[in-house]
Amino acid sequence: MFVQQLEPVSGSLGLSALVATLPLVTVLVLLGAVRMKAHRAGLIGLAVAVLVAWLAYGMPLGQTLSSGAQGVLFGLFPIMWIVVNALWVYRMTVRTRHFDILRRSFGRLSDDPRIQALVIAFCFGALLEALAGFGAPVAICSVMLVALGFDPVKAAVVSLVANTAPVAFGAMGTPVVTLASVTGLPLDSVASVVGRQTPLLALVVPLVLVGLVDGRRGLRETWVPALACGVAFAAAQFAASNYVSAQLADIGAALIGAAALVAVPQARRPAAEPVRAAVLTGVRSEDLDEEDPRREVLRAYAPYALIVVIFSLAQIPAVKDWLAEANRVFDWPFLNVAGPDGDPVSGNVFTLPLVSTGGTLVLIAGVLTAVVLGVHARVAVREWLGTVHELRFAILTVTSVLALAYVMNLSGQAATIGHFVAAAGAGLAFLSPVLGWFGVAVSGSDTSANALFGALQVTAAQQSGLSPELLAAANSSGGVLGKMISPQNLTIACAAVGLAGREGDLLRKVLPWSLGLLLVMCLIVYAQSTAVLSWMLP
């Protein structure tokens, strides 16, 4: 049995913490300063983590490699299993041109560009984040807005800022699933607290978006539909994450937010020509005037309806229990680790959810989507393989980062850093979201930031007397605000709208919003750690 040590380097917590940060510092420097590709930085960081665990912490090399292998498996299944199948569904809609029908359908909901920004960037962007994440919402929504006549820079900025509130529950809840796994906290507990933080952002972001599109006039004339959309989205995200399912939080929020938006009479009024002339400075796509048969419009919406129905059925207690019977729980080979107190850690046992995981449910929805859209089985398989090829570097990045996280957690490196950081005391609650924000700003992924810093946040919380669930959730909630300034997302946005090389211009426009909303989140988390807002926590 390997017993974790908190002070393996010269018996000093400070020196041990300094050595334990080497893997994280390596990844962040390679990504942020050297600008190395994320998958390469992740692999190098993993190598550093293995060396620190083996040489500094005395973890046997076999157990070190075994812990990394466990992280790789978790990265593949269930994490990337969800992402691959979700993006596969989207690719089939593009191949059959039903995505174009969907885009035209959104364009006909309103001719007011401020409302279009809310429908596409905020609501539909949230749905795309729920299904795929990893930059897909920014790329797709930017292109859709440009097709409607938006200036490319404005379209990119609106899409980047909109991609905040849904990120913590993106890709069928992948970030919170990862957070629960690396921290050992129950998924329901973590999702519940995140669902009492990020909905507060949803109240503000729609108002920010109409302000970005049309300044003070946009706020003055469309604050009612923007607020209705934000309130409905926030309420649905809170309810789903706390009482239904983390995987359904963004899907439900996106659909209910859109329904509330179009239900407001003001949202359906034709926009004044001066507004359209001032906002729509780009070239409008000619295919927006095409009429689509009602049957094809229904088929375009069908994939998303299928996912909602299947996930809803999977939450019925009897069905949920039946699906869980296929789970496989086993002792992880070549791993026998005890914490500093001598008790075995949870990582010694691994649970493999074969059917109940979100990826399998999305796969079922994808098969049904292929039937509804008339995609031949051979073409559907080819699209699935194409999706895997498209995501090959993302798969390598996620698996290497999760392997790094598992090595750090099981060797005791994360515990050492957490004990050292706990010296911040009550101020830790205010700083906690900043750590997640920094992780996402560098890595471009809330999932990766949760894997890197989740266990650290929990250890620090336990040592400082704060709620572990609160600080773990704060890591994810703060992280969503780093998404808009991550080099990965900025590059995706520029490439989508034909602004290659102008990432700096976009960064200058979105950075103030990222920092301002981060400050708001820091104040929320700090207040939740005190009597002021502690009543908000479950």
Side-chain angles (χ1 to χ4, degrees):
M1 176 179 285
F2 167 70
V3 180
Q4 296 174 350
Q5 302 177 62
L6 293 177
E7 303 173 353
V9 182
S10 301
S12 167
L13 182 63
L15 286 175
S16 300
L18 187 63
V19 172
T21 59
L22 287 176
L24 297 177
V25 171
T26 298
V27 173
L28 298 179
V29 169
L30 290 177
L31 284 172
V34 181
R35 299 197 174 187
M36 183 180 287
K37 295 290 186 182
H39 62 280
R40 293 176 183 168
L43 289 171
I44 294 173
L46 171 59
V48 174
V50 168
L51 289 174
V52 170
W54 179 35
L55 300 177
Y57 278 75
M59 189 179 197
L61 184 58
Q63 295 211 48
T64 302
L65 297 176
S66 180
S67 61
Q70 186 177 143
V72 169
L73 179 57
F74 182 75
L76 290 173
F77 195 97
I79 300 304
M80 292 309 298
W81 179 238
I82 298 172
V83 178
V84 166
N85 289 323
L87 197 57
W88 173 54
V89 173
Y90 163 70
R91 283 175 60 110
M92 285 193 291
T93 66
V94 171
R95 183 175 183 94
T96 59
R97 299 191 178 277
H98 283 89
F99 181 76
D100 292 332
I101 296 173
L102 195 66
R103 174 169 57 85
R104 289 192 288 270
S105 175
F106 287 157
R108 284 190 285 269
L109 288 175
S110 172
D111 71 344
D112 189 326
R114 300 163 299 190
I115 303 301
Q116 289 173 342
L118 293 176
V119 171
I120 293 172
F122 188 70
C123 296
F124 187 59
L127 186 60
L128 291 173
E129 183 66 38
L131 299 177
F134 290 87
V138 170
I140 295 166
C141 293
S142 296
V143 170
M144 292 177 74
L145 290 176
V146 168
L148 290 172
F150 277 68
D151 171 73
V153 172
K154 185 169 288 186
V157 170
V158 167
S159 298
L160 284 165
V161 175
N163 192 219
T164 48
V167 169
F169 296 104
M172 309 310 274
T174 296
V176 290
V177 170
T178 303
L179 185 61
S181 175
V182 299
T183 59
L185 298 173
L187 173 59
D188 291 344
S189 299
V190 173
S192 178
V193 180
V194 174
R196 295 162 193 248
Q197 294 171 344
T198 56
L200 299 176
L201 292 176
L203 297 174
V204 179
V205 171
L207 296 170
V208 172
L209 294 180
V210 295
L212 284 171
V213 172
D214 195 29
R216 293 182 179 177
R217 178 178 58 186
L219 274 172
R220 186 174 63 252
E221 295 181 359
T222 57
W223 69 269
V224 173
L227 190 60
C229 178
V231 169
F233 186 102
Q237 193 181 60
F238 162 76
S241 60
N242 277 268
Y243 306 113
V244 184
S245 164
Q247 286 89 346
L248 284 175
D250 278 349
I251 293 178
L255 296 176
I256 292 175
L261 175 63
V262 298
V264 177
Q266 190 174 339
R268 300 193 301 274
R269 294 173 189 162
E273 193 53 42
V275 173
R276 292 179 53 79
V279 176
L280 301 180
T281 55
V283 179
R284 185 175 181 272
S285 177
E286 294 181 0
D287 74 343
L288 289 173
D289 297 322
E290 290 184 22
E291 288 293 331
D292 297 303
R294 177 179 289 274
R295 180 172 178 270
E296 295 304 313
V297 173
L298 291 175
R299 291 174 73 190
Y301 282 92
Y304 310 102
L306 285 168
I307 290 175
V308 172
V309 170
I310 289 172
F311 270 82
S312 298
L313 291 174
Q315 300 311 310
I316 298 173
V319 177
K320 194 172 186 177
D321 293 341
W322 178 65
L323 294 175
E325 290 178 4
N327 291 356
R328 294 292 177 264
V329 181
F330 55 90
D331 293 331
W332 188 257
F334 310 111
L335 197 63
N336 188 13
V337 179
D341 55 4
D343 294 332
V345 299
S346 59
N348 294 329
V349 178
F350 190 80
T351 300
L352 194 64
L354 296 175
V355 182
S356 59
T357 184
T360 303
L361 297 178
V362 176
L363 177 66
I364 295 170
V367 172
L368 295 175
T369 294
V371 174
V372 171
L373 299 185
V375 180
H376 192 278
R378 183 174 61 254
V379 175
V381 171
R382 191 184 305 132
E383 286 296 326
W384 192 90
L385 294 174
T387 304
V388 174
H389 183 265
E390 180 183 337
L391 291 173
R392 62 193 184 281
F393 293 121
I395 292 171
L396 189 55
T397 299
V398 169
T399 51
S400 62
V401 168
L402 279 162
L404 180 155
Y406 270 63
V407 170
M408 289 189 66
N409 294 345
L410 289 169
S411 67
Q413 296 173 57
T416 296
I417 300 171
H419 277 73
F420 183 77
V421 171
L428 184 62
F430 182 84
L431 297 174
S432 186
V434 178
L435 195 58
W437 173 85
F438 183 69
V440 176
V442 172
S443 69
S445 165
D446 202 35
T447 298
S448 296
N450 286 344
L452 290 172
F453 300 128
L456 185 159
Q457 298 264 24
V458 167
T459 303
Q462 292 169 339
Q463 293 302 306
S464 58
L466 294 169
S467 163
E469 289 83 2
L470 174 63
L471 293 203
N475 192 83
S476 192
S477 298
V480 307
L481 300 168
K483 188 93 168 178
M484 69 178 82
I485 63 168
S486 71
Q488 172 184 310
N489 253 23
L490 290 171
T491 301
I492 288 171
C494 284
V497 297
L499 296 174
R502 294 185 59 183
E503 289 86 355
D505 294 342
L506 292 186
L507 178 61
R508 284 189 290 273
K509 290 181 179 296
V510 300
L511 182 59
W513 293 108
S514 178
L515 294 174
L517 292 171
L518 174 64
L519 176 60
V520 172
M521 182 55 65
C522 289
L523 292 172
I524 289 171
V525 174
Y526 178 74
Q528 288 179 333
S529 72
T530 68
V532 177
L533 290 182
S534 60
W535 53 268
M536 289 184 64
L537 301 180

